[in-house]
Amino acid sequence: MSVLRTAALRSKRTIVAVGLTVAVVAGTGGWAAGSAQTAVTGPAPGAAAWRADHSLDRPLPDPAKAAPAAVARFFASLTRAQQHTLAARHPLTVGNLDGAPVPLRYEANSLALKAERRHRLAQATDPAGTLQDHRQARKAAGRCAELLAPGRRILAFDPRGRGQVAEVHGDLTRARHVAVVVPGSDIDLGSFDRARDPYGTPTGMATSLRRQMTAEAPGARTAVIAWAGYTTPVGLGPDAATGRLAEAGAPRLARFLSGLAAVGAPAPAVLCHSYGSLVCGAAAARTDRDAIADLIVFASPGIRHDSAAALHTSARVWAARDASDWIGNVPHVEFLGLGHGEDPTDPAFGARRVPAARAKGHTGYLAPGTDSLRNFAAIALGRYADVR
């Protein structure tokens, strides 16, 4: 078969597959079920005031430009009193500043959440607002109150847009084994944790994974971070079929992972669910080498790379999909920006396959009792021989 004929057949298959993609989306609710989102990028509110602060008689590290390692060195040069003063004066900046000391970020985010709760409660009684405005404000205030509950460790909080948050389960400052969970579509401040479909939420996935890691290795020092730090697609709209939001979120994830390395955390296993796998795929090449130990994509529609090698990462790349997951019916193509490319679970892709026979549906991979959960825990613990 000639090269031209082969290319023509491949192009024809791609066009047909794109047509099937459109049909699948339309048949599952249609693009009308989704809405285009404005990606939240750049530093959290308050960055201008932070840059203008000359109380230490020297410039503060630019939240948009300073490398996490430089941020870590800056805070190491301060006294405890100076650190706490900066956190109190600029809670949103310090709370989201990758490379800042972990306990200081918890402190700053607690202050930021309290301030946001007060702001939302004021909105809830503002005579100029509508009943819907009041209802939404009360709901947002309630979410802030939940994140302020004793024992919760909030590593990042950004109230812009639909809200972004990262939470640590375990003691990150002492952990020997760390994992980061990157969620897919429809996740934001309001759906970060919920009673319905708990293992489809960052909190549910992180809690279940850490519990399994503890069961597999009692006494091991572990921490799992639920990271909802990018603007996710809503519904089955064009955002879910393109990589626009993933490209916007990838620098935030890459910076976050570099920030973990800057404060001395071990290289984590990064678990990427559904659309989150696109974010991880785009972030891999942007992340410092050796900043990721393992990259696990599951329920993935593709990661916009032709192979594991194309990710240009030193991390071990793993992939999982259960037989009942509807994502397996989505054609693995990319054409004119639509679709997400090769199937990461295809042997030709080159990822290590993780069994997930007991998982159910699109969000059941970290449900208790599943082989996928046990295997993910083994990977996060570095027990690769136990993956089976």
Side-chain angles (χ1 to χ4, degrees):
M1 185 180 293
S2 69
V3 173
L4 289 176
R5 186 181 177 190
T6 300
L9 287 174
R10 184 180 297 115
S11 178
K12 183 178 180 180
R13 286 196 298 268
T14 299
I15 293 171
V16 170
V18 169
L20 290 173
T21 301
V22 174
V24 167
V25 171
T28 53
W31 279 337
S35 58
Q37 301 295 300
T38 300
V40 171
T41 58
W50 167 269
R51 294 187 187 101
D53 188 333
H54 301 293
S55 60
L56 297 180
D57 295 325
R58 55 171 161 157
L60 305 183
D62 190 329
K65 299 177 181 178
V71 172
R73 290 192 295 271
F74 168 78
F75 277 98
S77 71
L78 303 181
T79 65
R80 291 289 182 89
Q82 290 172 325
Q83 291 182 4
H84 293 307
T85 297
L86 286 178
R89 189 175 295 163
H90 308 282
L92 277 172
T93 296
V94 175
N96 291 283
L97 196 55
D98 297 308
V102 170
L104 191 67
R105 291 181 67 172
Y106 295 158
E107 175 186 327
N109 283 313
S110 177
L111 295 172
L113 280 162
K114 289 175 182 176
E116 180 67 12
R117 182 172 180 269
R118 289 193 298 269
H119 171 63
R120 294 295 188 172
L121 288 174
Q123 284 184 329
T125 57
D126 184 354
T130 65
L131 289 176
Q132 183 179 5
D133 292 336
H134 294 168
R135 184 163 51 249
Q136 291 176 342
R138 285 194 298 271
K139 184 177 180 180
R143 291 299 292 138
C144 292
E146 291 169 1
L147 294 174
L148 284 165
R152 300 195 76 164
R153 300 179 176 93
I154 306 304
L155 191 59
F157 168 67
D158 190 335
R160 292 178 296 169
R162 289 154 44 211
Q164 299 179 3
V165 63
E167 180 177 15
V168 177
H169 299 262
D171 187 347
L172 181 58
T173 60
R174 299 180 62 249
R176 297 292 300 275
H177 303 282
V178 175
V180 177
V181 175
V182 180
S185 298
D186 299 308
I187 297 297
D188 50 33
L189 183 63
S191 56
F192 185 68
D193 47 16
R194 59 177 181 252
R196 179 181 60 82
D197 189 25
Y199 303 112
T201 70
T203 296
M205 288 190 281
T207 300
S208 183
L209 178 61
R210 183 162 188 267
R211 187 182 299 121
Q212 185 67 31
M213 292 171 69
T214 301
E216 297 286 341
R221 300 203 298 268
T222 63
V224 180
I225 304 169
W227 183 85
Y230 77 105
T231 302
T232 67
V234 172
L236 292 173
D239 282 345
T242 68
R244 180 179 66 88
L245 293 180
E247 287 295 328
R252 300 173 72 85
L253 177 59
R255 186 179 180 86
F256 178 80
L257 295 172
S258 295
L260 294 181
V263 296
V270 183
L271 287 79
C272 316
H273 178 243
S274 193
Y275 191 88
S277 61
L278 275 76
V279 183
C280 293
R286 294 178 168 95
T287 305
D288 297 342
R289 188 169 181 82
D290 301 326
I292 306 174
D294 296 275
L295 189 65
I296 308 168
V297 297
F298 57 107
S300 174
I303 57 177
R304 295 184 160 253
H305 288 81
D306 293 334
S307 66
L311 293 171
H312 300 294
T313 178
S314 61
R316 301 170 189 83
V317 181
W318 309 76
R321 187 178 69 234
D322 73 71
S324 65
D325 190 342
W326 61 264
I327 203 74
N329 296 324
V330 175
H332 287 279
V333 297
E334 183 181 353
F335 184 71
L336 298 178
L338 182 67
H340 303 308
E342 302 298 327
D343 179 1
T345 65
D346 188 321
F349 185 82
R352 307 178 188 205
R353 187 68 183 268
V354 182
R358 295 182 183 177
K360 301 298 181 184
H362 190 59
T363 57
Y365 292 82
L366 284 100
T370 58
D371 51 345
S372 47
L373 173 61
R374 180 180 54 77
N375 285 321
F376 292 166
I379 294 169
L381 289 166
R383 298 182 174 184
Y384 305 117
D386 293 341
V387 179
R388 61 187 184 275

